[in-house]
């Protein structure tokens, strides 16, 4: 989440004929990377703050998130819940979170032929007569022609018995491969190999290496990620208490994070679960919205009268 110093209330009272004096630009901002859990609410010690901008602390990256996982998120979760609990970390599908390690098995980092500017990858594997065979993706140090160099797609496919004469590195003119094609180019053949398909992002590898679970939420479905409601509540607090200075934003940020109760976070989690259940049953987004609303405790059918339940509460 990002918050800016000049992001204040959207409306104001003015005398007739007057115009509001608005700040030029959004002002300096803060990027927050935080974690919430239905057990304890906002995990304050696991959060990370960054004054973003080219002239300040830079920008949030996947490497910084991995560092936060190592140094804060996982240790804080384990210290709060104890060693017997396993976390299921829901990660939104952003570009930074889907970054891969430097030695990941990715055809986008390979050349067709050995050497050159291509990544040095971890060992791969393939099946041969039902047996799993480990394959080194670089030549040995004593190779007469390419000592210690990456093999490239052609050599990897030759060793797997999948190379055919005249095969191109990728489909021509930058076109995407046909989804039904299996051997249109060298890149497509390798992409369909089980070791390349099993390659996980760096975030997922770090989380699972610590003994926890990780799922990536689908793109463009913020209703499935209940931390989005948390960010909305935090931003509302910041706007209501905006003083249009960066020092005020810095002072208000921890107060805004603490303003959200664990009970409210649990309600957001339950609401996200209702969305998941609706989609799992095969409903469209519109029909899923009606099903989620059916579980709401607040049902207004008219703008002219309040519900009977609310009227009884007022009478009491």
């Amino acid at each position: 989440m990002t918050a800016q110093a000049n992001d204040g209330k959207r409306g104001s009272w003015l005398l007739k004929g007057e115009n509001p004096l608005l700040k030029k630009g959004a002002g300096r901002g803060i990027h927050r990377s935080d974690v919430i859990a239905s057990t304890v609410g906002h995990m304050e010690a696991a959060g990370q703050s960054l004054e973003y901008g080219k002239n300040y602390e830079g920008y949030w990256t996947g490497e910084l998130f991995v560092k936060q996982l190592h140094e804060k998120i996982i240790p804080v979760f384990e210290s709060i819940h104890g060693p017997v609990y396993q976390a299921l970390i829901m990660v939104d599908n952003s570009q930074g979170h889907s970054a891969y390690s430097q030695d990941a098995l990715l055809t986008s980092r390979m050349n067709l032929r050995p050497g050159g500017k291509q990544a040095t990858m971890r060992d791969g594997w393939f099946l041969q007569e039902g047996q799993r065979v480990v394959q080194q993706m670089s030549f040995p140090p004593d190779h007469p022609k390419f000592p210690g160099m990456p093999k490239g797609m052609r050599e990897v496919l030759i060793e797997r018995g999948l190379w055919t004469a005249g095969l191109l590195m990728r489909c021509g003119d930058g076109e995407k491969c046909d989804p039904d094609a299996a051997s249109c180019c060298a890149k497509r053949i390798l992409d369909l190999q089980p070791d390349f398909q099993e390659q996980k992002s760096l975030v997922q590898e770090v989380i699972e290496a610590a003994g926890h679970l990780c799922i990536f939420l689908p793109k463009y479905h913020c209703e499935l990620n209940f931390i989005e409601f948390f960010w909305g509540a935090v931003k509302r607090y910041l706007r209501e208490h905006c003083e249009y200075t960066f020092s005020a934003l810095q002072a208000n940020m921890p107060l805004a994070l603490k303003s959200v109760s664990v009970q409210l976070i649990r309600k957001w989690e339950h609401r996200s679960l209702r969305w998941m259940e609706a989609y799992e049953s095969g409903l469209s987004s519109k029909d899923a919205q009606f099903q989620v609303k059916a579980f709401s405790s607040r049902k207004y059918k008219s703008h002219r009268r309040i519900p009977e339940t609310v009227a009884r509460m007022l009478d009491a």
Side-chain angles (χ1 to χ4, degrees):
M1 180 204 74
T2 58
Q4 294 80 28
N6 296 336
D7 187 6
K9 292 183 178 181
R10 302 301 171 89
S12 60
W13 291 97
L14 296 170
L15 295 174
K16 188 176 181 178
E18 290 188 353
N19 295 318
L21 295 176
L22 301 177
K23 293 278 188 176
K24 292 183 179 180
R28 292 166 63 184
I30 295 176
H31 177 95
R32 286 291 308 184
S33 177
D34 283 278
V35 183
I36 58 174
S38 57
T39 52
V40 296
H42 175 236
M43 295 168 54
E44 182 180 358
Q48 184 71 41
S49 183
L50 175 78
E51 185 183 348
Y52 70 89
K54 181 176 67 174
N55 298 324
Y56 300 104
E57 295 180 307
Y59 295 94
W60 189 254
T61 62
E63 290 76 14
L64 290 175
F65 182 61
V66 170
K67 183 180 179 182
Q68 183 188 8
L69 280 169
H70 275 299
E71 299 178 358
K72 291 190 173 184
I73 296 177
I74 294 175
V76 170
F77 175 86
E78 293 176 347
S79 65
I80 292 175
H81 298 86
V84 297
Y85 284 87
Q86 186 180 42
L88 172 60
I89 301 178
M90 301 168 61
V91 184
D92 59 347
N93 209 323
S94 66
Q95 185 176 2
H97 295 164
S98 58
Y100 291 89
S101 61
Q102 293 182 352
D103 63 345
L105 295 174
L106 297 174
T107 57
S108 59
R109 300 178 179 178
M110 299 178 70
N111 296 337
L112 182 63
R113 301 187 180 281
K117 292 183 179 180
Q118 58 180 319
T120 301
M121 298 182 176
R122 65 186 68 172
D123 292 346
W125 61 271
F126 60 95
L127 295 176
Q128 189 175 58
E129 298 180 355
Q131 300 293 323
R132 182 167 172 153
V133 179
V134 177
Q135 181 186 32
Q136 292 184 343
M137 305 302 284
S138 297
F139 289 106
D142 57 351
H143 191 273
K145 193 173 181 181
F146 304 106
M149 295 184 182
K151 292 178 178 178
M153 295 184 188
R154 183 176 184 274
E155 182 64 28
V156 170
L157 290 174
I158 289 175
E159 294 179 3
R160 299 187 184 206
L162 300 174
W163 176 260
T164 56
L167 194 65
L168 298 177
M169 177 179 173
R170 60 184 74 222
C171 290
D173 298 330
E175 297 180 359
K176 291 185 177 180
C177 299
D178 189 321
D180 298 325
S183 57
C184 57
C185 61
K187 182 179 185 301
R188 180 66 173 174
I189 297 174
L190 272 181
D191 280 336
L192 294 177
Q193 291 295 294
D195 54 343
F196 280 77
Q197 289 199 323
E198 287 183 357
Q199 180 61 57
K200 301 174 182 177
S201 70
L202 181 58
V203 168
Q204 188 170 357
E205 288 181 341
V206 169
I207 292 173
E208 293 181 354
H212 301 288
L213 304 176
C214 171
I215 58 173
F216 280 86
L217 296 171
K219 292 182 179 180
Y220 315 119
H221 282 282
C222 56
E223 71 275 11
L224 302 180
N225 192 358
F226 57 96
I227 200 173
E228 297 294 342
F229 304 107
F230 176 78
W231 294 136
V234 170
K235 283 199 169 186
R236 182 174 63 247
Y237 182 97
L238 293 173
R239 289 192 180 110
E240 291 174 350
H241 297 81
C242 179
E243 298 179 11
Y244 299 95
T245 63
F246 185 69
S247 59
L249 176 64
Q250 288 177 308
N252 287 332
M253 182 62 75
L255 300 177
L257 296 171
K258 291 180 181 178
S259 67
V260 183
S261 66
V262 64
Q263 290 80 10
L264 187 55
I265 289 175
R266 288 169 183 166
K267 291 180 180 179
W268 290 332
E269 181 197 34
H270 294 162
R271 189 166 186 264
S272 295
L273 290 175
R274 299 296 185 191
W275 277 102
M276 294 179 189
E277 292 171 356
Y279 287 137
E280 191 176 9
S281 64
L283 296 178
S284 64
S285 58
K286 185 176 181 180
D287 293 333
Q289 185 177 9
F290 285 119
Q291 179 165 315
V292 172
K293 284 185 176 180
F295 290 96
S296 176
S297 59
R298 181 182 298 175
K299 298 179 181 179
Y300 294 93
K301 298 183 179 179
S302 172
H303 66 279
R304 296 180 179 177
R305 66 174 183 267
I306 62 175
E308 188 65 29
T309 54
V310 177
R312 285 198 297 267
M313 292 172 59
L314 296 174
D315 292 340

